[in-house]
Amino acid sequence: MKREDISDAMAHIGDNLIEEADAVRGAGDVRRNHWKGWAALAACAGVVLFGAVRWGSSPAEPAPTPAVETTAPLESTAPVETSPPTDTPVPTVDGLPMLTIELGETGMGFEGYMAYDISELVSGNPWTEEAGLTTLPVYANPLELDAYGQPVEDRDAMEAALREVADRLGMEGAEIEETDWGTLVIRGEGLTLDVSSTLPVTLEFEPTHALPEGYNFGYHAPHDAMAAAGEYLMETWAALLDMETPTLSLWGGDYNIYREQGYQIEVYEGAGDLTEQLVGYHFHRVAFYPDEEGRLWMVRFYLADLSQKLGDYPIITVDEAETLLGEGRYITSVPYELPGLEYVEKVELVYRNGTLEGCWMPYYRFYVRLPEEAEEDGLQTFGAYYVPAVEGRFLTNLPVWDGSFDT
């Protein structure tokens, strides 16, 4: 496998997997992002702004370190300083705990999606602007972080997640091994199951599985081909999905630096009303990954623990969020101030549910065309700007980004 092929493969296996690998190597989820390289400015500034959300008076936590496409990742061996826990009661409004948004540091890069037209960027998100939702649930992140900002290993939770997937494979009672780097593993004939402290379970096939003739499951297969492959995988592995209403989510469509498009196949639990579908889309999903020959290489199971629900919070409308965006009340890793509302080309309702988020809450993600990043051949970069969807009276603060890159 050539070096450029390895790089391209990593760009398509998702931020959470790269983030986990970085943690194992000692280097360190919005869903899959292409974190656009920003080497020149990063060499001077070293950090960009991003958001972490906490509720009540929890200890301070570092913001997530995204996967980046640069040659010099930030590394640190110094512990993250955190505020000591207090016994101060959590302030509430209408019986709901208040949420605090704080700005932190991230690595070198920013969340940018490259496409010639915004219509090329697609997703399986069930939300639409006409949805009319008035409340959405918010959950406390159950993962505890250590002094270095890494998830503390919860062996019981890890083993339960691993057993759940193993049982779907008919591997009840299989022996669990613990690796030298802290993951738990179950080995079977032609496959390996493993789970780390961040809890998604990874199923890896060896040898990989070829799809029937006529299916195209390559890194850069076109949209229709990937959709067909997704339908095949969803049907073939239905028992492994263990979902009441498995729903295909084909998303991506952005380009790499070689002008090649890529799509990701995921399946989520689509049962229930729209709120339940949104929760399934963000928290209960299964992702399929090819190898460089277009064979099924890996399946990843996202089994988020949503037991610590904080409540159902009233949310603002898209128009209200866009007003806040125009006032500069947003969170972003983009190194440019919002160029103007006329550059907003798309919006969707998402959960920021990374492992380092203090709580998992909904945001409006605005895709903003960045004039500074336009290429001569017409390729555009659309930067992600986030506005909390929760009504402001439930937020202890709503920072205004001042255009600087220091926190």
Side-chain angles (χ1 to χ4, degrees):
M1 194 172 182
K2 296 182 291 184
R3 183 174 181 179
E4 57 268 29
D5 291 332
I6 295 173
S7 174
D8 188 69
M10 291 188 69
H12 284 82
I13 63 177
D15 286 348
N16 289 331
L17 184 58
I18 298 172
E19 184 177 87
E20 177 181 333
D22 285 344
V24 171
R25 291 194 299 268
D29 179 18
V30 195
R31 303 285 296 278
R32 169 181 168 268
N33 299 323
H34 282 301
W35 287 84
K36 189 176 178 69
W38 183 39
L41 186 54
C44 299
V47 297
V48 293
L49 293 182
F50 215 69
V53 180
R54 287 182 285 281
W55 60 283
S57 54
S58 303
E61 299 170 357
T65 301
V68 296
E69 296 177 1
T70 62
T71 57
L74 291 179
E75 297 188 8
S76 174
T77 57
V80 176
E81 295 184 3
T82 60
S83 304
T86 70
D87 295 327
T88 304
V90 176
T92 63
V93 173
D94 293 343
L96 295 172
M98 294 194 69
L99 310 171
T100 298
I101 299 173
E102 296 187 13
L103 297 177
E105 298 179 354
T106 70
M108 296 179 291
F110 69 91
E111 187 182 356
Y113 303 85
M114 295 189 293
Y116 290 94
D117 187 83
I118 193 64
S119 63
E120 296 180 291
L121 302 180
V122 299
S123 77
N125 193 331
W127 177 85
T128 66
E129 291 191 47
E130 296 75 33
L133 293 175
T134 57
T135 65
L136 279 174
V138 174
Y139 306 93
N141 184 345
L143 295 177
E144 179 184 353
L145 301 182
D146 62 20
Y148 292 87
Q150 298 302 314
V152 175
E153 181 179 296
D154 183 340
R155 187 181 175 91
D156 289 341
M158 292 167 62
E159 185 170 335
L162 195 61
R163 289 287 185 202
E164 179 177 340
V165 177
D167 290 350
R168 298 182 193 180
L169 288 165
M171 302 173 67
E172 297 89 345
E175 179 183 0
I176 294 180
E177 305 173 22
E178 184 169 1
T179 67
D180 292 338
W181 50 90
T183 60
L184 300 183
V185 176
I186 291 178
R187 305 184 192 280
E189 184 176 353
L191 61 85
T192 301
L193 278 174
D194 71 77
V195 64
S196 74
S197 57
T198 57
L199 290 185
V201 177
T202 300
L203 166 62
E204 185 173 346
F205 295 107
E206 180 56 48
T208 54
H209 288 236
L211 273 64
E213 185 176 354
Y215 285 101
N216 186 350
F217 184 40
Y219 295 149
H220 304 297
H223 179 276
D224 290 349
M226 285 294 275
E231 293 287 351
Y232 167 80
L233 292 168
M234 185 170 61
E235 179 179 348
T236 302
W237 298 95
L240 191 59
L241 298 174
D242 191 29
M243 295 178 182
E244 179 182 344
T245 308
T247 305
L248 181 63
S249 171
L250 183 65
W251 55 274
D254 46 340
Y255 292 76
N256 62 20
I257 61 174
Y258 304 108
R259 289 358 187 216
E260 299 167 321
Q261 278 184 294
Y263 297 91
Q264 173 65 55
I265 292 175
E266 292 189 356
V267 179
Y268 69 92
E269 177 57 87
D273 61 20
L274 179 57
T275 295
E276 293 170 307
Q277 292 171 28
L278 275 170
V279 170
Y281 174 73
H282 288 96
F283 298 103
H284 298 149
R285 64 191 201 276
V286 177
F288 294 88
Y289 303 100
D291 65 7
E292 66 273 18
E293 297 177 355
R295 300 164 62 94
L296 178 59
W297 163 47
M298 190 174 73
V299 184
R300 195 149 218 237
F301 302 81
Y302 294 86
L303 308 170
D305 177 4
L306 302 181
S307 61
Q308 299 182 34
K309 181 178 175 180
L310 301 179
D312 293 309
Y313 285 73
I315 62 171
I316 61 178
T317 65
V318 172
D319 289 342
E320 291 170 324
E322 188 166 357
T323 297
L324 292 174
L325 179 71
E327 294 172 354
R329 296 183 178 275
Y330 55 77
I331 293 169
T332 188
S333 59
V334 176
Y336 310 111
E337 186 175 359
L338 183 78
L341 292 179
E342 66 272 22
Y343 289 89
V344 174
E345 300 210 9
K346 182 180 178 180
V347 61
E348 63 177 336
L349 186 66
V350 300
Y351 274 85
R352 285 177 48 82
N353 57 1
T355 58
L356 302 185
E357 296 285 335
C359 73
W360 297 329
M361 63 176 284
Y363 284 80
Y364 288 106
R365 176 165 61 194
F366 292 89
Y367 294 79
V368 178
R369 180 166 50 85
L370 305 176
E372 300 90 343
E373 295 287 327
E375 302 282 354
E376 291 184 359
D377 65 351
L379 188 66
Q380 306 290 329
T381 294
F382 300 91
Y385 293 73
Y386 292 85
V387 173
V390 172
E391 284 187 5
R393 62 195 175 100
F394 296 97
L395 304 175
T396 62
N397 69 323
L398 185 54
V400 178
W401 189 66
D402 63 3
S404 68
F405 306 116
D406 298 315
T407 57

